[in-house]
Amino acid sequence: MSKVGFVCTTHQSLMHRPNGFQLFNNYLQSLYNSCKHSFNLYAFDNASEDKFEIDDLPDNFIITRVENQYKGGLTYTWNEGVKQAINDGCDVVIITSDDQIVDETINSFIDEIRKHELRDNAVFGPLSNDANNKHQTAT
């Protein structure tokens, strides 16, 4: 059975990001309401001042608390999430941010990745339609 792995990092602090958990809650709601594919969410609480907690944690929601965000920062959490997703057999891994809102187009994005001829050796992502953006190749 194919499965998507979403990797997302969150952080909240009164000084730098007082709305961090609200952003993450909005992200969670959008992901769970929009994604129709089987998925796991590998979430990382990157040394928030308060611990992110959720009641009735779904089976496909894995949250890891990183006590010291200076251990490797944001990319450390992404790398750890990708490793977990691969170990769990996810055939598509998507790195997201807690301030993103996912809509139903995520399903088309996943479908396109799964059928693309370079799916086993490529990086995919939304690209700008800006004519000045010269980096529009994602392979």
Side-chain angles (χ1 to χ4, degrees), residues 3-10 24-32 35 37-44 52 54 57-64 81-82 84-85 88 90 92-98 100 102:
K3 185 175 278 194
V4 178
F6 288 95
V7 179
C8 184
T9 303
T10 191
F24 189 52
N25 282 323
N26 293 343
Y27 165 79
L28 291 174
Q29 184 177 19
S30 71
L31 179 63
Y32 279 89
C35 187
H37 292 271
S38 178
F39 71 89
N40 283 348
L41 171 59
Y42 303 91
F44 293 83
F52 183 83
I54 187 169
L57 195 66
D59 291 341
N60 67 337
F61 184 173
I62 300 96
I63 187 158
T64 303
V82 169
Q84 288 179 26
D88 289 344
C90 294
V92 173
V93 181
I94 300 175
I95 297 173
T96 59
S97 297
D98 66 350
Q100 291 177 320
V102 177

Side-chain angles (χ1 to χ4, degrees), residues 31-88:
L31 179 63
Y32 279 89
N33 286 337
S34 298
C35 187
K36 304 305 179 205
H37 292 271
S38 178
F39 71 89
N40 283 348
L41 171 59
Y42 303 91
F44 293 83
D45 179 354
N46 208 3
S48 295
E49 289 174 355
D50 296 320
K51 185 177 179 182
F52 183 83
E53 294 185 15
I54 187 169
D55 295 330
D56 301 321
L57 195 66
D59 291 341
N60 67 337
F61 184 173
I62 300 96
I63 187 158
T64 303
R65 169 112 172 132
V66 177
E67 294 296 333
N68 179 0
Q69 68 177 320
Y70 299 107
K71 179 178 181 177
L74 180 61
T75 55
Y76 167 80
T77 61
W78 290 346
N79 290 334
E80 289 302 304
V82 169
K83 288 179 202 174
Q84 288 179 26
I86 290 169
N87 287 339
D88 289 344

